[in-house]
């Protein structure tokens, strides 16, 4: 699905900052920490930093990469680092326990769609404005102020965004060999329902293969509703329906769009197009495809995504867009790092974050591992696997460059376009913009209701999103339970804050 370039009237700053941040990022890689304003390593006492983030399987060479990072960090900021990877599926349980037990750690991944506002409301992460001003020179030079400040709550900044794409489209990822084998015409696929003939053919012709892979936390429904068809407006119930183009906050589960998606998923689950273990499947899509167990899955798309997932899976993959690019506050804050309230090294934590925006050696060490062992240089900015190695065999492959620092300093892979970062700029410029872009919901007044609604979501959401139950019989109960948990109060509070934000914006 092609999108024409659109520069919405009356909102020039929005698209300009998307371009500006990329132009700033493209200005060149810095490798000297002298830009950061940090003290010389020799003047700092030793520090040990723990960096916590979600990931799939722990790479077998994680220790080797940590050792190399430590050698380097000791010369830069006299610190060592421990990379603490937590499986996506158990992230909330483990991090909640870490905070409850006051486990000491320093840096934490967060996002507008991943609990950021709740972490602020609970006091789990620290405001970073002063630290950023003192030790974050490369961060502030890299990120446009509108991007950097998109995550402010109550006038304070609690996390630093990764410099990457700031929009997303949603779509389907498929094995190209099977698309070619059965002559599937992807130009006819414009909506999720259009995928049905393809899934039926795979079900019939490849009986040992899952036509459409899904997990309880990552199904076509969850992919399309989160910043595809709706602006989620932060934590808790209450969204903007993208198709309406207005600022009316609604209960997503009461919309026809959600009901249609959930009904389609139930139809496909009943037909055997979706894996029967969808509620218990924990394996990342890339690992399932490496094992040859599935044909397609849904994901967020961006320029170069087909090449990225082809590298991750070790086979050629193809993508088709189901929604046009969309930019929301949730997208601009879709990958951030915060400093934990349990840290004993907030200053050094900010120094480390700053290095990830200016120091290409450190960033690529974290992203891709050790040169010569985990990758080899093809050109100054392009890499490939060492001879005899693939994405299936390599000892270090986080494949999460979108999560850390300044992605524009990350090496491109040999199968990626050399102008990928230019494509990112165009992608951001072409994106539709949520009318609530820049709005950040503060959940403080309704945090109890949000917690109660989250428990209801945990009970009903996975079975509905994945198609296991019939929405006709289950959705009314879900809605009633959300109402009893206080969903309407959360929606009203979101509407109140959004209206005040819009009025303030109109008055400027």
């Amino acid at each position: 699905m092609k999108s024409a370039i659109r520069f919405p009237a009356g909102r020039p700053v929005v698209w300009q900052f998307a371009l500006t941040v990329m132009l700033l990022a493209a200005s060149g890689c810095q490798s000297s920490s002298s830009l950061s304003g940090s003290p010389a390593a020799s003047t700092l006492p030793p520090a040990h930093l723990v960096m916590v983030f979600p990931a799939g399987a722990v790479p077998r060479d994680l220790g080797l990469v940590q050792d190399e990072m430590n050698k380097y960090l000791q010369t830069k900021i006299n610190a060592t680092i421990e990379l603490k990877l937590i499986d996506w599926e158990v992230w909330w349980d483990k991090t909640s326990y870490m905070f409850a037990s006051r486990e000491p750690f320093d840096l934490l991944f967060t996002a507008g769609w991943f609990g950021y506002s709740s972490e602020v409301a609970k006091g789990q992460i620290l405001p970073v404005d002063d630290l950023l001003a003192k030790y974050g020179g490369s961060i502030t030079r890299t990120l446009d102020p509108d991007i950097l400040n998109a995550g402010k709550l109550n006038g304070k900044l609690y996390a630093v965004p990764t410099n990457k794409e700031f929009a997303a489209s949603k779509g389907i990822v498929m094995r190209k060999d099977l698309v070619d084998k059965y002559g599937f015409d992807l130009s006819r696929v414009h909506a999720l329902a259009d995928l049905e003939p393809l899934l039926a053919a795979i079900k019939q012709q490849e009986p040992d293969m899952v036509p459409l892979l899904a997990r309880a936390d990552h199904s076509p429904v969850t992919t399309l509703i989160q910043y595809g068809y709706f602006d989620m407006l932060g934590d808790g119930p209450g969204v903007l329906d993208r198709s309406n183009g207005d600022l009316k906050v609604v209960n997503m589960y009461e919309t026809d769009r959600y009901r249609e998606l959930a009904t389609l998923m139930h139809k496909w689950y009943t037909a055997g197009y979706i894996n029967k273990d969808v509620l218990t499947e924990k394996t990342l899509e890339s690992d399932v495809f490496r094992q040859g167990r599935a044909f397609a899955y849904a994901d967020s798309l961006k320029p170069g995504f087909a090449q990225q997932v082809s590298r991750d899976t070790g086979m050629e993959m193809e993508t088709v867009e189901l929604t046009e690019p969309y930019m929301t506050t949730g997208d601009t804050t879709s990958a951030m790092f915060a400093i934990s309230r349990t840290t004993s090294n907030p200053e050094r934590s900010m120094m480390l974050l700053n290095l990830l925006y200016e120091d290409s050696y450190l960033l690529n060490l974290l992203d891709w591992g050790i040169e010569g062992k985990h990758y080899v240089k093809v050109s100054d900015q392009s890499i490939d696997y060492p001879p005899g190695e693939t994405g299936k065999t390599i000892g270090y492959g986080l494949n999460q460059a979108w999560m850390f620092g300044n992605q524009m300093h990350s090496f491109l892979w040999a199968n990626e376009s050399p102008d990928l970062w230019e494509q990112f700029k165009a992608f951001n410029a072409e994106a539709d913009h949520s009318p609530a872009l820049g709005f950040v919901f503060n959940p403080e007044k309704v945090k109890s209701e949000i917690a109660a609604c989250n428990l209801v979501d945990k009970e009903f959401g996975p079975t509905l999103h994945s198609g296991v139950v019939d929405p006709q019989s289950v959705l009314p109960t879900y809605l009633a339970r959300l109402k009893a948990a206080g969903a309407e109060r959360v929606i009203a509070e979101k509407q109140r804050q959004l209206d005040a934000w819009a009025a303030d914006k109109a008055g400027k």
Side-chain angles (χ1 to χ4, degrees):
M1 182 183 297
K2 296 288 186 182
S3 302
I5 295 179
R6 294 173 295 279
F7 298 120
R11 290 202 293 265
V13 173
V14 173
W15 62 263
Q16 284 176 356
F17 77 58
L19 286 173
T20 302
V21 68
M22 292 299 184
L23 291 170
L24 287 170
S27 62
C29 299
Q30 302 292 337
S31 60
S32 170
S33 62
S34 63
L35 287 177
S36 67
S38 301
S42 60
T43 68
L44 297 168
H48 180 69
L49 303 175
V50 179
M51 187 177 189
V52 180
F53 56 90
V58 177
R60 67 173 184 270
D61 288 349
L62 179 66
L64 296 178
V65 174
Q66 281 186 173
D67 289 345
E68 290 300 312
M69 291 181 71
N70 288 338
K71 292 176 188 176
Y72 191 69
L73 285 171
Q74 286 173 317
T75 70
K76 290 292 183 178
I77 58 172
N78 200 18
T80 56
I81 190 168
E82 176 186 347
L83 302 177
K84 188 177 181 67
L85 282 58
I86 297 178
D87 189 273
W88 289 93
E89 186 68 24
V90 297
W91 173 265
W92 301 115
D93 291 338
K94 290 216 172 176
T95 54
S96 294
Y97 176 78
M98 290 167 67
F99 281 118
S101 63
R102 298 198 60 80
E103 179 178 333
F105 65 100
D106 304 282
L107 292 165
L108 176 77
F109 175 80
T110 187
W113 56 274
F114 203 60
Y116 171 60
S117 57
S118 290
E119 289 159 353
V120 172
K122 293 175 183 176
Q124 293 174 334
I125 54 180
L126 300 177
V128 298
D129 302 83
D130 293 342
L131 292 168
L132 189 65
K134 192 170 184 179
Y135 303 112
S138 289
I139 296 172
T140 56
R141 279 185 286 270
T142 297
L143 295 172
D144 185 277
D146 289 311
I147 294 291
L148 185 59
N149 295 325
K152 277 194 170 182
L153 285 167
N154 297 325
K156 295 182 179 179
L157 186 67
Y158 289 85
V160 178
T162 300
N163 188 42
K164 60 183 193 65
E165 84 288 347
F166 295 116
S169 61
K170 308 294 180 173
I172 300 295
V173 185
M174 292 162 279
R175 283 180 50 169
K176 188 176 186 302
D177 61 335
L178 295 178
V179 170
D180 294 342
K181 179 178 179 180
Y182 296 111
F184 294 149
D185 182 2
L186 299 186
S187 69
R188 301 171 67 90
V189 180
H190 304 288
L192 187 62
D194 297 336
L195 200 65
E196 188 164 320
L198 284 64
L199 302 181
I202 294 295
K203 173 71 175 174
Q204 181 178 1
Q205 301 294 332
E206 305 282 346
D208 295 330
M209 184 172 293
V210 174
L212 183 61
L213 179 68
R215 300 195 311 266
D217 64 337
H218 193 195
S219 74
V221 172
T222 59
T223 297
L224 286 167
I225 62 177
Q226 294 184 30
Y227 306 109
Y229 294 144
F230 302 97
D231 184 336
M232 305 303 285
L233 299 177
D235 292 341
V239 303
L240 297 184
D241 188 331
R242 180 179 179 180
S243 63
N244 293 339
D246 58 23
L247 290 174
K248 180 174 175 54
V249 183
V250 300
N251 187 331
M252 179 177 67
Y253 301 109
E254 292 179 340
T255 65
D256 291 339
R257 174 85 79 176
Y258 178 79
R259 187 183 298 274
E260 290 166 1
L261 284 173
T263 299
L264 182 62
M265 286 297 289
H266 181 60
K267 176 186 178 183
W268 286 356
Y269 181 83
T270 303
Y273 299 159
I274 297 170
N275 44 304
K276 291 298 181 184
D277 63 349
V278 61
L279 294 179
T280 57
E281 175 66 79
K282 310 296 183 188
T283 311
L284 290 180
E285 289 83 4
S286 57
D287 293 329
V288 173
F289 276 82
R290 287 190 194 110
Q291 298 161 10
R293 293 197 281 123
F295 164 65
Y297 73 98
D299 213 334
S300 295
L301 306 181
K302 59 186 176 181
F305 190 78
Q307 290 74 29
Q308 174 187 317
V309 75
S310 296
R311 186 178 69 250
D312 295 348
T313 60
M315 65 181 69
E316 193 169 0
M317 306 292 283
E318 196 155 350
T319 62
V320 59
E321 281 188 333
L322 300 180
T323 69
E324 295 184 347
Y326 193 39
M327 187 183 294
T328 69
T329 304
D331 291 305
T332 60
T333 61
S334 62
M336 302 189 290
F337 268 89
I339 297 177
S340 168
R341 73 178 182 198
T342 64
T343 184
S344 58
N345 293 291
E347 294 85 2
R348 211 74 59 91
S349 297
M350 182 56 71
M351 291 180 201
L352 173 59
L353 281 183
N354 193 69
L355 281 175
L356 293 175
Y357 288 77
E358 72 180 23
D359 194 308
S360 60
Y361 173 76
L362 180 66
L363 179 66
N364 283 287
L365 189 55
L366 175 60
D367 284 345
W368 310 122
I370 302 167
E371 182 178 358
K373 183 173 182 63
H374 303 120
Y375 69 87
V376 292
K377 282 286 197 75
V378 176
S379 66
D380 285 345
Q381 294 299 316
S382 180
I383 61 175
D384 206 344
Y385 291 116
E389 295 278 14
T390 68
K392 297 180 181 180
T393 62
I394 203 69
Y396 185 85
L398 290 178
N399 295 313
Q400 295 180 175
W402 56 270
M403 189 178 279
F404 309 112
N406 184 357
Q407 191 183 5
M408 309 309 155
H409 289 176
S410 183
F411 294 141
L412 293 168
W413 284 78
N415 71 331
E416 293 179 311
S417 172
D419 68 346
L420 182 59
W421 305 140
E422 294 297 318
Q423 294 179 34
F424 272 30
K425 288 188 285 184
F427 183 69
N428 281 350
E430 292 173 10
D432 289 330
H433 304 128
S434 167
L437 181 62
F439 169 72
V440 179
F441 173 56
N442 185 344
E444 180 63 30
K445 291 185 177 180
V446 286
K447 62 183 179 183
S448 297
E449 289 88 346
I450 290 175
C453 289
N454 286 344
L455 290 176
V456 178
D457 287 338
K458 190 173 182 180
E459 180 180 353
F460 288 90
T463 56
L464 277 166
H465 301 337
S466 57
V468 173
V469 297
D470 185 353
Q472 184 172 346
S473 59
V474 176
L475 192 53
T477 304
Y478 187 17
L479 289 169
R481 290 280 298 278
L482 282 173
K483 183 176 181 179
E488 291 180 350
R489 289 190 292 277
V490 179
I491 291 171
E493 177 61 16
K494 279 190 177 181
Q495 188 71 70
R496 184 191 69 78
Q497 292 186 28
L498 186 59
D499 289 344
W501 172 84
D504 180 67
K505 183 180 178 185
K508 290 182 177 178

